[in-house]
Amino acid sequence: MKPNSISLFSFSILLSLFLLHIQCSSTSRSEREYASRNSGDEYEESKVSSGVSSSPKSEGKPQENKSPKRMMIYTVVVNLQSKEIEPKVLEIIKLAETFGGYALQYSSQGTIQLKIPQENLKNFLSNLKKESHNYSEDVSAKDVTEDYLDTEIRLENAQKMRTRLLEILKTAKTLEETLKVEAELNKVSESIERWEGKLKYLSQAVQLSTVTVHVRQKWEPVVQKEYQPGPVGYPFYWLYLGLGKVKDGFIWLFIQEVPKEK
């Protein structure tokens, strides 16, 4: 076997063992993180790469298990009524801007989609309710804490793998070795970009709540005004009333039964 072939074979074995070690380390760490968040059990992270055992727990000093802050994505649907739709739509958009929000889209038919900072969501809805008629709201929330922490772990492991691959790339001696390491680097870099994008999306979704407002036309009954005749119309008005009385008299005279004497 040629020296170059032996070197390439040794390098391939080394790279395979390294990737296997990273994968096992990532799986073990994810399991430990999950166990710590859900059960609160204490654990010590083993140092596999250095071969050094972890330090023993200090007796008499209980370790504090702080639960992570819950990350919630809020979605709100509001229905209300107004005499005029378009002025009310503009009024709601201005109200959202006073609370640090903005309008994603809106229409003259009365549908508005807003983004409101989560810390101002309660005050915004409270003010909107005070200034609206027939107000109703539907609030839903989604907990993304576990998804966010899992993505953070994956991103950290990918960044460590990229650092290690860059170190291996410096020691590559042949073109084939260089190409193999660069191929792995491209895969890891794509993973890092994907995890970073997901973390950014989750952070923005948590910080800005989505509020959809539907404005409907307020129905008001039509009030009929009583007829008020003018000076010339009074004779005709009294004639109209008199004819009505005459009609009632004829109806009573020919149709109404005469009460029987007891």
Side-chain angles (χ1 to χ4, degrees), residues 75-91:
T75 304
V76 185
V77 178
V78 175
N79 291 279
L80 55 89
Q81 290 185 340
S82 177
K83 294 181 180 180
E84 297 181 356
I85 294 180
E86 291 189 16
K88 187 63 177 179
V89 169
L90 298 178
E91 177 185 338

Side-chain angles (χ1 to χ4, degrees), residues 39-153:
S39 62
D41 297 335
E42 298 179 354
Y43 67 91
E44 296 182 7
E45 187 175 353
S46 60
K47 302 178 180 179
V48 180
S49 58
S50 59
V52 181
S53 60
S54 57
S55 59
K57 300 177 184 178
S58 57
E59 298 180 358
K61 296 182 179 180
Q63 295 183 356
E64 296 182 358
N65 243 344
K66 296 183 179 179
S67 58
K69 182 180 179 182
R70 309 310 297 178
M71 303 186 67
M72 310 295 293
I73 299 178
Y74 290 96
T75 304
V76 185
V77 178
V78 175
N79 291 279
L80 55 89
Q81 290 185 340
S82 177
K83 294 181 180 180
E84 297 181 356
I85 294 180
E86 291 189 16
K88 187 63 177 179
V89 169
L90 298 178
E91 177 185 338
I92 293 174
I93 294 176
K94 290 182 179 179
L95 180 63
E97 292 175 350
T98 59
F99 286 93
Y102 58 91
L104 284 179
Q105 60 181 9
Y106 63 93
S107 67
S108 58
Q109 296 179 353
T111 300
I112 320 165
Q113 189 173 10
L114 305 168
K115 285 291 186 180
I116 306 295
Q118 188 182 116
E119 62 270 14
N120 298 333
L121 179 61
K122 185 176 181 180
N123 292 333
F124 168 76
L125 294 176
S126 178
N127 281 266
L128 181 60
K129 184 177 182 179
K130 292 179 183 178
E131 302 175 3
S132 304
H133 300 282
N134 297 329
Y135 177 94
S136 66
E137 65 181 36
D138 183 13
V139 182
S140 59
K142 180 180 179 182
D143 190 349
V144 295
T145 308
E146 299 295 333
D147 193 14
Y148 189 90
L149 294 177
D150 182 68
T151 304
E152 277 188 330
I153 294 173

Side-chain angles (χ1 to χ4, degrees), residues 8-240:
L8 180 59
F9 179 73
S10 301
F11 178 78
S12 300
I13 293 177
L14 177 61
L15 182 59
S16 301
L17 291 175
F18 169 72
L19 295 177
L20 180 61
H21 164 69
I22 291 295
Q23 184 178 2
C24 294
S25 176
S26 174
T27 304
S28 176
R29 180 169 183 177
S30 299
E31 292 176 353
R32 291 196 300 270
E33 290 288 344
Y34 181 80
S36 174
R37 292 194 300 266
N38 290 275
S39 62
D41 297 335
E42 298 179 354
Y43 67 91
E44 296 182 7
E45 187 175 353
S46 60
K47 302 178 180 179
V48 180
S49 58
S50 59
V52 181
S53 60
S54 57
S55 59
K57 300 177 184 178
S58 57
E59 298 180 358
K61 296 182 179 180
Q63 295 183 356
E64 296 182 358
N65 243 344
K66 296 183 179 179
S67 58
K69 182 180 179 182
R70 309 310 297 178
M71 303 186 67
M72 310 295 293
I73 299 178
Y74 290 96
T75 304
V76 185
V77 178
V78 175
N79 291 279
L80 55 89
Q81 290 185 340
S82 177
K83 294 181 180 180
E84 297 181 356
I85 294 180
E86 291 189 16
K88 187 63 177 179
V89 169
L90 298 178
E91 177 185 338
I92 293 174
I93 294 176
K94 290 182 179 179
L95 180 63
E97 292 175 350
T98 59
F99 286 93
Y102 58 91
L104 284 179
Q105 60 181 9
Y106 63 93
S107 67
S108 58
Q109 296 179 353
T111 300
I112 320 165
Q113 189 173 10
L114 305 168
K115 285 291 186 180
I116 306 295
Q118 188 182 116
E119 62 270 14
N120 298 333
L121 179 61
K122 185 176 181 180
N123 292 333
F124 168 76
L125 294 176
S126 178
N127 281 266
L128 181 60
K129 184 177 182 179
K130 292 179 183 178
E131 302 175 3
S132 304
H133 300 282
N134 297 329
Y135 177 94
S136 66
E137 65 181 36
D138 183 13
V139 182
S140 59
K142 180 180 179 182
D143 190 349
V144 295
T145 308
E146 299 295 333
D147 193 14
Y148 189 90
L149 294 177
D150 182 68
T151 304
E152 277 188 330
I153 294 173
R154 293 176 183 271
L155 176 61
E156 183 180 353
N157 290 336
Q159 290 173 340
K160 289 181 178 179
M161 182 182 291
R162 182 176 61 181
T163 302
R164 182 57 181 162
L165 287 174
L166 289 173
E167 293 177 357
I168 295 176
L169 183 62
K170 295 178 181 179
T171 61
K173 298 180 180 180
T174 64
L175 178 60
E176 189 173 358
E177 293 176 354
T178 302
L179 293 176
K180 284 186 177 182
V181 177
E182 288 180 347
E184 293 297 328
L185 272 173
N186 291 334
K187 294 179 182 180
V188 173
S189 297
E190 291 176 0
S191 299
I192 291 175
E193 292 178 358
R194 183 167 63 252
W195 303 135
E196 288 178 343
K198 187 174 182 179
L199 286 179
K200 184 178 180 181
Y201 165 76
L202 291 175
S203 298
Q204 291 178 349
V206 169
Q207 293 173 3
L208 293 175
S209 302
T210 302
V211 180
T212 303
V213 183
H214 300 288
V215 182
R216 299 290 181 260
Q217 188 78 35
K218 184 181 180 182
W219 179 83
E220 294 184 353
V222 179
V223 180
Q224 295 182 353
K225 295 182 180 180
E226 185 180 356
Y227 174 69
Q228 296 292 338
V232 181
Y234 266 106
F236 298 97
Y237 177 68
W238 292 115
L239 178 61
Y240 170 76

